[in-house]
């Protein structure tokens, strides 16, 4: 949840500007009264009717008095905004709560609220609030929804003040706004193995330096919360400070998710485009593997990483996992096409180490880029690629088989290099392709085992 700032509604400074602002705020009713008063005054002069002149003055002065009183009255109204939640998947709704507090000693008149909302989130909400007593509070809410991921500002809030007679209205704006983050949609995935990588950690995983015996123990300094039963007294006596035995710690499995963001690799736009499918797929895999205990890393074609990501990627349990997933989703919510034309920077990053499972979401590949991707496979942890061909996604249904045949030819270098390369047709379900990749990967591992 996110809350907005507070402000106060007061008159502007400057006498000349204030008069112009007050007169500009006259409503249709106020302008009609003013025009009728002027017309009555002119008619009284032409006809010599003194009583008509008094009526005309009353009609003309009433809207001017209302405008002056409304402008001079120091309404102090504080506003706050609350988003629930502040991060929402594409296609889901978020509720925005607005709270108005009258912090002055005077009651307010009729208040009209309008919150500034980007058009992709829906129409601008408008509310009418009755008179608020001193110290009073009013709360309203509205819903927003977007099928397009992104970070959208909500606000500033506009407040329209009116007098009791409806002669004049003035508009005030608060300066604060709150961002709503619309993240890519996440598809639940089945817990597959990909040739042995079943869990992120566990008894079957490779462990850090084990304890061979009491003499071979590797101690470390005592930390608050350590079990006193782990105190190694011999090392404590040698170092002069409390030392504890290191426990065997399972080494986390690592996974790198490569997202191809090259502008020339995709065609089309909108929530059903190939690029949006790739972004959603990368988000689904990252969340799935992070929840299963993997240390995950997001990599783009430009070699960029997520701010706050460690050298081995994001890892954690419980609340740390939720925070890591939130950072990854925030990054994917605003990721856009890059100006790059190749994948060499990503290859340079992968060549530097961090072996483990590699899952790639790729756009169109020419011969040069296919060769670059093929070299990424020699990392010792398995490689799975979901390749989207723009021809398949943009052509008519009658032309898809022919385009798909060319696309399969482009995947041959990847498969020969050891990749599990899966072609992604238009509108494909990620969970089905995920299981298909596991079956193909398992079959490839079996064939290679028999060959040996």
């Amino acid at each position: 949840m996110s809350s907005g700032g507070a402000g106060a509604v007061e008159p502007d400074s400057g006498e000349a500007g204030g008069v112009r602002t007050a007169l500009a705020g006259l409503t249709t009713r106020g302008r009609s009264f003013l025009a009728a008063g002027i017309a009555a005054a002119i008619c009284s002069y032409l006809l010599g009717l003194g009583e008509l002149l008094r009526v005309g003055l009353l009609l003309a002065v009433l809207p001017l008095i209302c405008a002056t009183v409304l402008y001079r009255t120091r309404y102090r109204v504080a506003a706050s905004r609350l988003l629930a939640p502040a991060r929402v998947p594409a296609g889901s709704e978020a509720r925005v709560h607005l709270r108005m507090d009258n912090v002055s000693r005077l009651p307010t008149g009729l208040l009209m609220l309008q919150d500034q909302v980007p058009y992709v989130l829906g129409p601008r909400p408008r509310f009418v609030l009755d008179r608020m007593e001193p110290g009073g509070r009013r709360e309203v809410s509205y819903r927003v929804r977007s099928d397009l991921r992104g970070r959208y500002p909500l606000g500033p809030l506009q407040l329209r003040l009116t007098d009791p007679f409806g002669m004049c209205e003035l508009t005030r704006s608060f300066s604060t706004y709150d961002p709503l983050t619309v993240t890519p949609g996440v598809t639940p995935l089945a817990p597959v193995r990909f040739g042995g990588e079943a869990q992120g950690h566990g008894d079957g995983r490779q462990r850090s330096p084990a304890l061979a015996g009491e003499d071979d123990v590797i101690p470390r300094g005592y930390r608050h919360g350590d079990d006193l039963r782990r105190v190694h007294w011999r090392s404590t006596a040698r170092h002069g400070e409390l030392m504890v035995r290191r426990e065997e710690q399972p080494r986390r499995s690592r996974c790198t998710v490569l997202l191809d963001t090259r502008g020339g690799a995709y065609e089309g736009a909108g929530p059903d485009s190939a690029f949006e499918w790739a972004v959603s797929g990368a988000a689904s895999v990252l969340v799935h593997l992070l929840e299963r205990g993997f240390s995950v890393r997001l990599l783009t074609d430009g070699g960029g990483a997520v701010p706050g990501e460690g050298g081995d990627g994001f890892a954690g349990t419980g609340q740390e996992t939720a925070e890591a997933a939130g950072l990854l989703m925030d990054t994917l919510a605003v990721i856009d096409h890059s100006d790059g034309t190749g994948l060499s920077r990503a290859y340079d990053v992968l060549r530097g180490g961090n072996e483990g499972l590699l899952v790639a979401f790729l756009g169109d590949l020419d011969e040069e880029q296919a060769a670059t991707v093929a070299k990424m496979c020699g990392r010792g942890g398995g490689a799975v690629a979901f390749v989207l061909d723009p021809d398949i996604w943009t052509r008519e249904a009658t032309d898809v088989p022919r385009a798909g045949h060319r696309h399969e030819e482009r995947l041959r270098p990847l498969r020969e290099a050891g990749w599990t390369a899966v072609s992604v047709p238009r509108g494909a379900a990620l969970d089905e392709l995920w299981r298909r990749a596991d079956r193909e990967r398992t079959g490839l591992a079996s064939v290679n085992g028999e060959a040996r």
Side-chain angles (χ1 to χ4, degrees):
M1 294 187 295
S2 174
S3 60
V9 177
E10 294 183 344
D12 297 327
S13 60
E15 192 67 27
V19 173
R20 288 194 298 267
T21 301
L23 293 178
L26 289 176
T27 62
T28 302
R29 179 184 299 178
R31 295 176 187 274
S32 300
F33 268 66
L34 182 60
I38 296 175
I42 294 175
C43 291
S44 68
Y45 174 76
L46 296 177
L47 301 177
L49 298 176
E51 294 80 0
L52 186 58
L53 178 59
R54 288 191 291 271
V55 174
L57 291 177
L58 176 61
L59 294 175
V61 171
L62 181 59
L64 297 179
I65 293 177
C66 291
T68 302
V69 171
L70 180 65
Y71 182 78
R72 291 294 185 182
T73 302
R74 287 182 173 269
Y75 288 139
R76 291 186 58 83
V77 181
S80 62
R81 183 187 297 105
L82 187 68
L83 306 183
R87 183 189 294 119
V88 61
S92 300
E93 290 185 344
R95 182 168 290 274
V96 184
H97 300 270
L98 300 176
R99 192 182 73 181
M100 308 297 299
D101 294 279
N102 184 11
V103 296
S104 67
R105 299 180 180 179
L106 298 174
T108 68
L110 196 65
L111 300 179
M112 288 177 284
L113 304 180
Q114 176 177 283
D115 210 5
Q116 303 296 316
V117 175
Y119 72 95
V120 296
L121 298 181
R124 291 183 177 179
R126 294 180 175 89
F127 305 94
V128 178
L129 303 182
D130 295 332
R131 174 181 177 274
M132 275 201 301
E133 66 280 2
R137 174 183 297 175
R138 300 290 186 272
E139 295 182 359
V140 294
S141 64
Y142 63 93
R143 293 178 297 181
V144 291
R145 179 181 181 275
S146 175
D147 292 329
L148 294 174
R149 58 184 177 82
R151 184 174 289 116
Y152 304 102
L154 299 180
L157 181 66
Q158 289 185 342
L159 183 63
R160 298 171 65 185
L161 309 172
T162 62
D163 66 280
F165 300 100
M167 298 290 180
C168 181
E169 62 181 22
L170 297 179
T171 302
R172 296 287 186 265
S173 294
F174 295 91
S175 58
T176 58
Y177 69 92
D178 293 284
L180 174 67
T181 303
V182 180
T183 61
V186 174
T187 302
L189 301 177
V192 299
R193 299 188 62 87
F194 285 133
E197 296 285 350
Q199 299 285 346
H201 52 75
D203 295 336
R205 303 302 307 155
Q206 187 178 6
R207 295 178 180 270
S208 57
L211 306 180
E214 186 69 16
D215 295 333
D216 296 327
V217 70
I218 305 176
R220 63 167 175 81
Y222 175 81
R223 300 172 185 170
H224 178 71
D226 284 340
D227 191 348
L228 292 178
R229 289 175 296 181
R230 293 171 49 202
V231 174
H232 190 251
W233 298 108
R234 184 179 301 177
S235 298
T236 299
R238 183 184 306 123
H239 293 85
E241 60 176 332
L242 205 58
M243 306 292 289
V244 296
R245 293 187 296 270
R246 293 179 184 268
E247 291 183 344
E248 290 185 273
Q249 297 293 334
R251 183 176 300 175
R252 286 182 176 271
S253 296
R254 299 174 179 177
C255 175
T256 299
V257 176
L258 172 61
L259 177 60
D260 183 7
T261 64
R262 295 172 298 143
Y266 303 92
E267 293 183 7
D272 297 328
S273 64
F275 181 66
E276 294 301 321
W277 192 98
V279 174
S280 178
S284 302
V285 173
L286 286 168
V287 171
H288 172 73
L289 294 180
L290 188 62
E291 291 177 348
R292 294 189 61 80
F294 278 73
S295 176
V296 299
R297 178 176 62 164
L298 174 63
L299 182 66
T300 63
D301 54 285
V306 179
E309 186 179 70
D312 292 335
F314 287 106
T317 57
Q319 184 63 27
E320 294 180 358
T321 299
E323 293 176 357
L327 289 174
L328 291 168
M329 292 299 103
D330 288 344
T331 301
L332 290 173
V334 297
I335 200 167
D336 202 356
H337 291 293
S338 68
D339 297 330
T341 58
L343 298 166
S344 57
R345 293 184 179 179
Y347 170 69
D348 293 337
V349 173
L350 294 172
R351 187 173 54 180
N354 194 26
E355 293 186 353
L357 178 65
L358 174 61
V359 181
F361 291 85
L362 306 171
D364 189 24
L365 299 174
D366 55 20
E367 294 183 1
E368 180 181 356
Q369 302 311 318
T372 302
V373 174
K375 292 187 294 184
M376 298 179 186
C377 188
R379 304 169 64 250
V384 180
F386 299 93
V387 187
L388 297 86
D389 183 22
D391 290 339
I392 298 178
W393 281 73
T394 57
R395 286 178 179 267
E396 297 294 334
T398 55
D399 297 332
V400 168
R402 183 172 53 187
H405 177 71
R406 292 197 301 268
H407 183 56
E408 289 294 331
E409 292 294 326
R410 298 175 185 176
L411 299 184
R412 183 178 300 174
L414 276 65
R415 291 166 177 162
E416 292 176 351
W419 280 86
T420 302
V422 179
S423 177
V424 180
R426 180 168 50 187
L430 177 62
D431 54 345
E432 296 179 2
L433 296 180
W434 181 255
R435 290 191 294 267
R436 172 186 166 188
D438 176 54
R439 291 193 299 269
E440 294 185 4
R441 180 71 188 173
T442 304
L444 179 63
S446 300
V447 171
N448 292 338
E450 293 175 359
R452 294 190 186 95

